[in-house]
Amino acid sequence: MDKITEVQSQALEAIAAAQDLNALQQARITYLGKKGLIQSLMSEMKALPKEEKPAFGQKVNICKQEVTAAFEKRTEELSRLAVSAKLEKEKIDITLEGDRLTIGTTHPLMMIREQIEDLFLGMGYTVAEGPEVEEDHYNFELANIPKDHPARDMQDTFYIDPNTLLRTHTTAMQMRELEKAEGRTPIKLICPGKVYRRDDDDATHSHQFMQCEGLVVGEHITLADLKGTLEYMANRMFGNGRKIRFRPSYFPFTEPSVEVDVSCPFCNGKGCSVCKGSGWIEILGAGMVHPHVLEMNGFDSEKCSGFAFGVGIERVAMLKYGIDDIRNFYINDARFLKMFDRFD
Ligand code: DAH
């Protein structure tokens, strides 16, 4: 009988001491298992005198019940502890700072392109596109630059084969659009895009750069319309109060041709280091579409006229944001690109 009491108190102690479900399981096997200590007490009963058996049996049963009850209670306790330990371990501290994702910014050239598109869309223009791998026909022939024309030297060209090249100017798209219109007017569009020239890269030259072409064809279109349009663009791009001036120039596809200066946005035309003291900065080439270009593209140059211009996007961006090296646009140094966050 004492042995039963002893086994029982050992068992209860072992159960209480078990710190996790594994240890508890061990204790169960030791005491409650088929070959466990309580079972072996049962076997000892056989050896007892008959009259002692009932009391002994009863006591072993009570012992078994109590140990089982203690085991179940401890199982429940330890399971609960295990769950809360797991929850504690998996707790997410929402006050911890997370990893910051680096999000890209709009490229400054795209910003200028979008600003130009917006301002012309606002005036009812459409935006046209064309291929960067272009035919000689559109890049040169229709633009009044036949083979052997000296103007071909002005634009060192990447040729793919004798008739295929990387377009050297967005004027190629102007020619595609003129041809597509089949003599119908009015035409009012811009064509922004990349262009390529066989230049050595330096602070002001890049073998790949961007232009935006503008084209308006209709009845009674004059140089004054061109001037008003470009003045509006200069004010929108460089701030109110900009003036523009035309200087005579030469392009094979326009007659007359002009180079267009904008009054220096840095000194308001007074003269500074950016405008080299002149108060003016050259921003683009333009002119009245050459009658021969209109005729080659199926327009009656007696009945309609048009103006065109081609503006360098890098040039506008460099002026607007004070960038002194064109290569910055193409190196893709994140520190440079990030600076344009605030303009976006
Ligand atoms: N295509 C010229 C260039 O790349 C720019 C240009 C000048 C475009 C006059 C025009 C224009 O449409 O009328 O230098």
Side-chain angles (χ1 to χ4, degrees), residues 6 31 37 48 62 65 73 123 133 178 200 206 213 241 259 311 329:
E6 201 189 310
Y31 295 96
L37 290 174
L48 290 176
I62 291 171
Q65 276 164 19
K73 190 160 157 259
M123 290 194 282
V133 176
L178 280 173
D200 289 329
S206 171
E213 194 85 0
E259 247 151 59
V311 56
F329 295 120

Side-chain angles (χ1 to χ4, degrees), residues 155 168-171 174 197 211 213-214 251 253-254 285-287 308-310:
Q155 301 179 355
T168 59
H169 52 184
T170 46
T171 305
Q174 183 192 145
R197 293 199 195 162
Q211 288 185 331
E213 194 85 0
F251 297 104
F253 30 88
T254 43
F309 62 87

Side-chain angles (χ1 to χ4, degrees), residues 99-111:
D99 290 340
R100 283 188 191 280
L101 286 180
T102 323
I103 295 174
T105 52
T106 307
H107 194 281
L109 295 178
M110 283 314 287
M111 278 164 44

Side-chain angles (χ1 to χ4, degrees), residues 3 8 17 43 85 88 141 153 165 178 209 237 256 280 321:
K3 200 169 172 190
Q8 179 170 342
S43 337
E88 186 62 31
E141 293 289 333
D153 297 341
L165 45 81
L178 280 173
F209 57 105
M237 296 309 291
W280 296 96
Y321 301 128

Side-chain angles (χ1 to χ4, degrees), residues 102-109 323 325-341:
T102 323
I103 295 174
T105 52
T106 307
H107 194 281
L109 295 178
I323 298 159
D325 193 324
I326 195 171
R327 289 168 291 195
N328 280 321
F329 295 120
Y330 296 103
I331 292 169
N332 281 335
D333 182 333
R335 290 167 300 180
F336 171 78
L337 298 175
K338 263 261 173 267
M339 294 195 294
F340 297 89
D341 261 13

Side-chain angles (χ1 to χ4, degrees), residues 49-227:
K50 207 175 168 193
E51 61 281 4
E52 286 179 22
K53 279 186 185 174
F56 187 89
Q58 205 178 15
K59 192 158 174 164
V60 174
N61 270 337
I62 291 171
C63 163
K64 192 173 176 181
Q65 276 164 19
E66 285 186 6
V67 172
T68 305
F71 169 76
E72 279 164 5
K73 190 160 157 259
R74 188 70 183 144
T75 305
E76 206 187 291
E77 271 170 24
L78 288 177
S79 309
R80 226 182 304 117
L81 282 174
V83 170
S84 51
K86 197 165 173 220
L87 284 179
E88 186 62 31
K89 209 167 100 200
E90 290 174 1
K91 197 161 92 178
I92 295 169
D93 181 354
I94 55 164
T95 64
L96 266 186
E97 187 166 357
D99 290 340
R100 283 188 191 280
L101 286 180
T102 323
I103 295 174
T105 52
T106 307
H107 194 281
L109 295 178
M110 283 314 287
M111 278 164 44
I112 298 293
R113 176 184 167 154
E114 280 166 13
Q115 287 164 19
I116 293 176
E117 284 179 3
D118 275 357
L119 82 92
F120 280 100
L121 285 169
M123 290 194 282
Y125 285 58
T126 53
V127 179
E129 282 179 38
E132 288 172 33
V133 176
E134 185 54 283
E135 293 169 36
D136 185 286
H137 181 64
Y138 294 105
N139 198 82
F140 290 129
E141 293 289 333
L142 285 182
N144 207 18
I145 316 176
K147 292 224 161 48
D148 304 324
H149 191 288
R152 288 206 178 201
D153 297 341
M154 277 161 52
Q155 301 179 355
D156 253 335
T157 309
F158 286 114
Y159 279 95
I160 288 162
D161 63 44
N163 286 316
T164 319
L165 45 81
L166 295 182
R167 67 183 176 206
T168 59
H169 52 184
T170 46
T171 305
M173 282 193 268
Q174 183 192 145
M175 297 312 145
R176 281 183 175 271
E177 292 301 319
L178 280 173
E179 188 190 68
K180 216 190 282 173
E182 294 179 328
R184 287 186 300 268
T185 58
I187 298 173
K188 225 172 132 182
L189 50 85
I190 56 165
C191 332
K194 290 192 196 108
V195 298
Y196 302 84
R197 293 199 195 162
R198 262 180 45 195
D199 273 330
D200 289 329
D201 293 358
D202 62 23
T204 53
H205 294 87
S206 171
H207 61 281
Q208 175 203 298
F209 57 105
M210 286 184 80
Q211 288 185 331
C212 182
E213 194 85 0
L215 173 69
V216 172
V217 182
E219 284 173 28
H220 313 300
I221 302 294
T222 69
L223 206 61
D225 296 315
L226 173 64
K227 195 161 188 184

